[in-house]
Structure formats: C-alpha cells, structure tokens
Amino acid sequence: MASKSAIQTAVKATAGRALRETGAALKNVAGQEIYSTLRSTMRLNGVKPFKTNDTFIAPSACVIGDVTNWDESSVWYGVVVRGDNASIEVGYKSNLQDRCVVNTVPALETKFPPICHIGHYVSIGSGSLLTSCRVEDFVIIGEKSIVGEGSMVESNVILEPGTVVPA
C-alpha cells in the first residue's frame, strides 16, 4: 500500500498539471500569446550571463553561460548564445536575429583565445552561425551566413546572405 505522503505528492502533481493546462487553454481562448516556459538566461559552471536593463532577450531565446550583452542589444526569438567554453560579448546596439547560433570552442589551432566578440552596431541575420570569431563594429551579416572558428570580419562590412567565412 502506498504511503500517505506519496499519495499527496501524486495528487498535488496531477492538480498542478490540470491547473496549468486550464490556464493555458483560457489564455488561448482569450487570444493571448503563450510563451514557452523556457528560461531565457541560464547559469552554467557558476557563470550567469550579464545583461543591462535595456537589453532585450526574447522569451524563446537561450543565453547560456559566460555571455555579456551590452546596452540596447537584442537577442531575438529562437537564438542560442552558448558561452560554455569561452566568453561571448555582444556589443552596444547589436542584434542577433531569429534562429541565430553563437557558440565557442575550447581552443583554436592558432592558439588565439577562442572568444566570440560581436562589436557595436552589428546586425547578425536570421539563421546565421558564428563560432569563436571576431566581428568588428558596423557590420551587417546576411541571413544563413557562417563565420567559422578564428575568423575575423572587419569594420564597415556587409556580408550577403549565405556567405561562408572559412576558419
């Protein structure tokens, strides 16, 4: 026979799930947008992402680990910024558009630090992939572009959609 505390725990879990689903159904009927319960920022290895008060991080974006978002920067829907191996910095008034991925590697073959630096006034297009690279100020990177490990994109550059900058 199940203990009294096990039965109470099961009842609480069932009631909680029913209330949560009822609330979501009511919001849906009312026409409100329902966001996922995903955490936008997450501590990793004891390091929490830094963001200023005027930084926008979408509810469905994931900013994880050693990441710095400076003033008026924005991380849009479905973006993953993963600072697990080295630090990532997103500059002033820069934006990472939908489904963009920014990550780092543990070490580069060139022995340079494997950080990912995104300068000020930079726009990273939807679906782009940046890995341990340096993007200077005033840069526009088109949709679905790939900037490889150790690459550098200089200031005042526009990369067309689908551009590949090799490592």
Side-chain angles (χ1 to χ4, degrees), residues 140-161:
I140 298 174
I141 296 179
E143 294 179 352
K144 298 180 183 175
S145 295
I146 299 172
V147 182
E149 300 170 8
S151 299
M152 179 176 171
V153 179
E154 294 184 356
S155 295
N156 301 310
V157 170
I158 299 175
L159 297 179
E160 290 187 7

Side-chain angles (χ1 to χ4, degrees), residues 4 16 43 93 115 148 155 161 164 166:
K4 185 177 180 181
R43 180 184 303 269
K93 285 198 174 183
I115 64 170
S155 295
V164 176

Side-chain angles (χ1 to χ4, degrees), residues 36-58:
S36 68
T37 58
L38 186 68
R39 291 183 287 172
S40 295
T41 60
M42 190 182 319
R43 180 184 303 269
L44 181 68
N45 299 331
V47 181
K48 184 178 178 185
F50 172 79
K51 69 180 192 120
T52 59
N53 289 336
D54 54 357
T55 296
F56 172 73
I57 298 177

Side-chain angles (χ1 to χ4, degrees), residues 44-106:
L44 181 68
N45 299 331
V47 181
K48 184 178 178 185
F50 172 79
K51 69 180 192 120
T52 59
N53 289 336
D54 54 357
T55 296
F56 172 73
I57 298 177
S60 64
C62 291
V63 180
I64 304 167
D66 191 4
V67 179
T68 302
N69 289 293
W70 290 112
D71 297 330
E72 299 183 35
S73 62
S74 57
V75 179
W76 290 92
Y77 298 90
V79 172
V80 176
V81 183
R82 199 179 75 219
D84 53 354
N85 295 311
S87 65
I88 297 174
E89 183 175 343
V90 180
Y92 176 75
K93 285 198 174 183
S94 293
N95 69 75
L96 305 173
Q97 297 172 13
D98 302 347
R99 300 176 328 277
C100 181
V101 176
V102 180
N103 61 9
T104 57
V105 294

